[in-house]
Amino acid sequence: MLRRVIVTIAVCLFAIAATAANFSSKPGGVTNNDDSCDIAVTPAATLLLPYFEIDFNAPSSTARTTLFTVMNVSRQAQLARITLWTDWAFPAYSFDVFLTGYGVVSINVRDLFVSGRLPSTPTNVIPGPRSDSNFTNPNHLPEMVGECALRPDAIPPGSLTDLRSIFTIGKPVGVTSGCNSSAKLGGTHANAIGYATIDVVATCSTLTPNDPAYYATELLFDNVLTGDYEYVSPDSNSGNYASGNPLVHIRAIPEGGPVGSIVETNLPYTFYDRFTTIGPAYPRTMDRRQPLPSTFAARWIQGGAAGFNTSYEIWREGYTGAGAACARYADNSSKQGVDVVRFDEHENSFALGTGIVICTPPPLSILSLPATASVPSSSSVFPQNQEADVAGWMYINVSNGGSPAYSALPGRDMKTGSSTVTTCARQSQSWIVATMSAEGRYSATWDATPLGNGCSISPKRDSQIGPAAGSTP
């Protein structure tokens, strides 16, 4: 009897050990908790501000603006590269902010466009009592202090004029962008419209994420940043609203390591996939950033006694890859979607599209929007409400037929891939935010619900609306 008990205990201990080993494994076992494509508000290596809008002509008392905050939740000092992209996904300007251990920096994007003032974040400030006592980061390059000391305090006047022009009429007036004045790099609108990325980096420079050298020489992989943003519209004649939301938090998987480190990731592709054309020695997943999903459920409410309004801030992955010619950014001016269905509160549905993802050009011609845009739910780009309900939800699939199969992306240009591709190996990335307002007093902003993640299998022909299943092969 005693022998049987001993054998039973031994078997149980072996099973527990095997289970523990399985939970700590990666391929072939239960996935590590951090090894996930799910996007959550957790410390990250990249933050995305999916949409900003700035009125730099009106007085500050009535001008629309966007503010955002970046926080360092680690005890070591960090550098963050902030890049401003136009609504046609052109990286127009970048600058660096230095964060002490547990440091925080707040930026009113309007300040950049009105006065050119950049946030003051010197590298020689006295660290706080909880920061790293040496005030250093082993992953920062030796030349970091010297290069960061050369950062300008403000955007030079000529560059500022160029920036204002690029973000409002899409055309450069100087040479800041590297494109001549005949190039079209963004849409035409009264206010400056675009989006921003914030990355942890190893030194200060003017490189932007569309340069392959950025990934080999500057990008870091520590999940230490978090942040939020706010939309402020103080003009009582047009709304007098304010609302806020967390930035999109995109983790590096796995995290850590010096600049240029080549570490295997289980991610099938990455957030910066189109730009990581470094060379044969580097994998295309060099940035290790989680990819974003393409399919969302977004609440809407419009009309009624309170005069409710809903708008969707929609960020789309651009077609253009690393080193794209200036003329190619027009490709990002009208990115198509696949399927949009409006449901009211009685399950009535009104649809655009066919529910089919086309993986060969030409793409479907619905939901034609630039790389980032704010669109009212009442817009004709969405199915119109044909019943009496004033509320419901919208199913939005913003993947597009311009994203050919994963193996057919020469130069990561997502619009000129092989026309012989017949299957989708991955979806194009996106993010959707819903903003509701009413009565000139109330406003709220929150993320739409992803129905999958960046690793989900692309929606298939005649697929049913619902949560995604599986992962990209």
Side-chain angles (χ1 to χ4, degrees):
M1 182 68 179
L2 180 61
R3 180 181 177 184
R4 181 179 298 174
V5 171
I6 293 174
V7 170
T8 301
I9 292 174
V11 170
C12 290
L13 290 174
F14 178 81
I16 292 171
T19 301
N22 189 43
F23 269 93
S24 65
S25 66
K26 288 188 178 181
V30 176
T31 304
N32 184 305
N33 283 339
D34 287 334
D35 198 5
S36 170
C37 284
D38 290 336
I39 301 297
V41 183
T42 55
T46 288
L47 304 173
L48 169 68
L49 171 61
Y51 177 84
F52 67 75
E53 184 172 347
I54 308 298
D55 182 351
F56 56 80
N57 292 310
S60 59
S61 58
T62 60
R64 177 165 184 152
T65 189
T66 305
L67 307 94
F68 68 92
T69 298
V70 180
M71 295 173 284
N72 171 21
V73 298
S74 73
R75 67 191 301 265
Q76 292 182 325
Q78 303 292 339
L79 274 173
R81 176 74 44 80
I82 299 173
T83 302
L84 305 180
W85 306 69
T86 70
D87 60 336
W88 290 10
F90 176 78
Y93 192 79
S94 67
F95 60 95
D96 298 293
V97 294
F98 181 79
L99 296 160
T100 62
Y102 309 116
V104 58
V105 60
S106 297
I107 297 170
N108 185 339
V109 184
R110 187 173 181 273
D111 289 343
L112 304 179
F113 285 90
V114 171
S115 64
R117 186 174 70 224
L118 295 172
S120 176
T121 58
T123 59
N124 60 352
V125 298
I126 299 174
R130 294 184 181 275
S131 299
D132 188 287
S133 58
N134 296 322
F135 209 27
T136 58
N137 184 322
N139 289 330
H140 287 167
L141 297 179
E143 60 270 24
M144 182 275 289
V145 173
E147 290 183 340
C148 290
L150 300 176
R151 290 177 298 166
D153 296 325
I155 303 171
S159 299
L160 181 57
T161 300
D162 209 24
L163 206 63
R164 291 172 176 170
S165 179
I166 291 172
F167 278 90
T168 53
I169 65 172
K171 287 182 174 290
V173 295
V175 295
T176 302
S177 66
C179 300
N180 61 44
S181 58
S182 65
K184 186 74 169 159
L185 306 173
T188 300
H189 19 70
N191 294 340
I193 291 176
Y195 66 93
T197 52
I198 303 104
D199 300 318
V200 285
V201 292
T203 191
C204 294
S205 83
T206 58
L207 281 183
T208 60
N210 75 329
D211 189 328
Y214 182 66
Y215 305 96
T217 63
E218 294 188 5
L219 191 69
L220 287 177
F221 312 96
D222 299 302
N223 293 319
V224 294
L225 301 181
T226 187
D228 55 81
Y229 65 94
E230 293 74 41
Y231 295 138
V232 180
S233 300
D235 188 351
S236 58
N237 293 321
S238 61
N240 195 23
Y241 303 115
S243 59
N245 196 44
L247 294 164
V248 186
H249 291 58
I250 303 170
R251 294 176 62 82
I253 296 175
E255 63 183 336
V259 165
S261 56
I262 301 175
V263 177
E264 181 182 359
T265 178
N266 286 332
L267 299 173
Y269 67 101
T270 58
F271 177 71
Y272 283 126
D273 175 73
R274 304 188 327 280
F275 306 117
T276 51
T277 54
I278 307 168
Y282 297 93
R284 65 184 295 152
T285 54
M286 178 71 185
D287 63 296
R288 298 186 234 158
R289 265 58 173 180
Q290 293 171 297
L292 297 182
S294 68
T295 307
F296 294 82
R299 187 88 166 91
W300 64 268
I301 180 170
Q302 60 190 58
F308 283 102
N309 298 287
T310 301
S311 66
Y312 297 133
E313 287 71 55
I314 302 177
W315 176 87
R316 314 281 300 281
E317 181 180 21
Y319 291 126
T320 46
C326 296
R328 291 304 307 279
Y329 285 93
D331 290 343
N332 299 327
S333 65
S334 183
K335 293 179 57 57
Q336 291 78 17
V338 170
D339 199 8
V340 184
V341 180
R342 183 193 295 266
F343 292 93
D344 68 11
E345 292 181 325
H346 288 84
E347 203 183 330
N348 297 307
S349 61
F350 317 99
L352 292 177
T354 63
I356 301 171
V357 170
I358 296 178
C359 302
T360 56
L364 293 172
S365 58
I366 69 167
L367 205 67
S368 295
L369 298 171
T372 191
S374 179
V375 190
S377 63
S378 58
S379 169
S380 61
V381 304
F382 301 115
Q384 296 301 293
N385 181 27
Q386 300 174 28
E387 299 292 342
D389 288 356
V390 298
W393 69 281
M394 201 93 72
Y395 168 79
I396 306 176
N397 182 348
V398 284
S399 194
N400 60 73
S403 302
Y406 182 78
S407 60
L409 293 175
R412 314 302 195 270
D413 188 310
M414 298 179 67
K415 199 169 185 179
T416 59
S418 170
S419 61
T420 62
V421 177
T422 57
T423 59
C424 286
R426 83 162 176 92
Q427 57 208 343
S428 53
Q429 303 176 78
S430 60
W431 195 259
I432 298 179
V433 176
T435 297
M436 292 185 178
S437 59
E439 297 184 356
R441 295 185 294 165
Y442 309 115
S443 184
T445 295
W446 66 93
D447 295 323
T449 302
L451 295 181
N453 58 36
C455 298
S456 299
I457 296 174
S458 296
K460 300 297 184 183
R461 181 181 298 272
D462 298 326
S463 60
Q464 291 187 352
I465 294 174
S471 59
T472 301

